Amino acid sequence: MRVHHLNCGSFYPHGKRLVNGHGGLLEAGLIVCHCLAIEAGDGLVLVDTGFGIEDARDPGRLGAPTHRLMNARPAIATTALSQLEALGFAQTDVRHIVATHLDPDHSGGLADFPDAEVHVFAPELEAARHPSLREKPRYRSAHWDHGPRWVEHSVGGDRWFGFESVRILPGVTEDIALVPLIGHTRGHTGVAVDTGDGWMLHCGDAYFDHRELATPPSCPPMLRLFQSLTAIDNATRKANRERLRELWERHGEEIDLLCSHDPHDLERRQAATGPAGAIG
Ligand SMILES: [Zn+2]
């Protein structure tokens, strides 16, 4: 199963050292939106979509926190659609999209693939449709005004390395599963992919920096603060991150763990598979 690693959006927040753990305080940091394009069956499965074409035309669509505070710079060339076309795929090749969650930096490109089925963990769609007062600022209904073909999933007893899981594409491939990792949002989930060369777990925003999985764990201070402030359930987020750290410690040889926003994670995968999306 071939997996392309794409950066579908970049943020340039102030204070590189506080964001990336190296560089100057006056330099801009870099946060990426690491999406996967998986060749499965006779089409593509996208894991997250980053920023979309309409976000590049009107960055205000992302909402002030994403756009201004985090200094997001959506660009048409780095949308999933543009990058897939550059790789020789057509828009209609994307049959399925799996959303780790529906924050604007993960859902912006949904409208660029209106015919794809969009797989989401049921509590996340419920949060996006009926946000609490606290959740309201994060979900951008403009990202699903086009009426995506939602496919809601609930867990039903399957396990993956001790985590609850649900296989989402029976009949297409048995090798892609949601692995709920609640905390960042109400219905946040990881996505496990059996690549044929071992498992890969895209952890979305369950952690932001690869050093959080190290022993002892560490995290640049700005990212630590940002994660605590944006988590809908911070205690559960931390507990799930600890479970991921243990998973990495025990099964790091068999499972490739990566997260959405770490440029180091993305660079490593792109170096191994060939650059499929420019960073920066
Ligand atoms: Zn995010």
Side-chain angles (χ1 to χ4, degrees), residues 44 52 59 72 90 104 106 122 138 170 197 206-207 213 225 236 244 261 264 269-270:
L44 289 173
H106 301 258
R138 75 189 311 155
D197 191 28
Y207 63 95
L213 300 188
L225 179 68
T236 305
L244 290 173
H261 294 307
H264 171 273
R269 278 28 169 235
Q270 289 188 335

Side-chain angles (χ1 to χ4, degrees), residues 11 101 103 105-106 184 205 208 260-261:
F11 299 87
H101 61 301
D103 274 348
D105 49 324
H106 301 258
H184 180 67
D205 287 7
F208 272 47
S260 294
H261 294 307

Side-chain angles (χ1 to χ4, degrees), residues 53 75-89 112-113:
I53 302 273
I76 286 175
T78 56
T79 58
L81 179 57
S82 297
Q83 293 188 66
L84 290 175
E85 285 176 345
L87 288 168
F89 296 105
D112 297 337
F113 305 96

Side-chain angles (χ1 to χ4, degrees), residues 1 3 36 38 47 175-177 191-195 198-201:
M1 200 181 265
V3 180
L36 308 177
I38 304 163
V47 178
D175 302 333
I176 301 179
V191 182
V193 182
D194 185 353
T195 65
W199 283 99
M200 178 179 290
L201 181 65

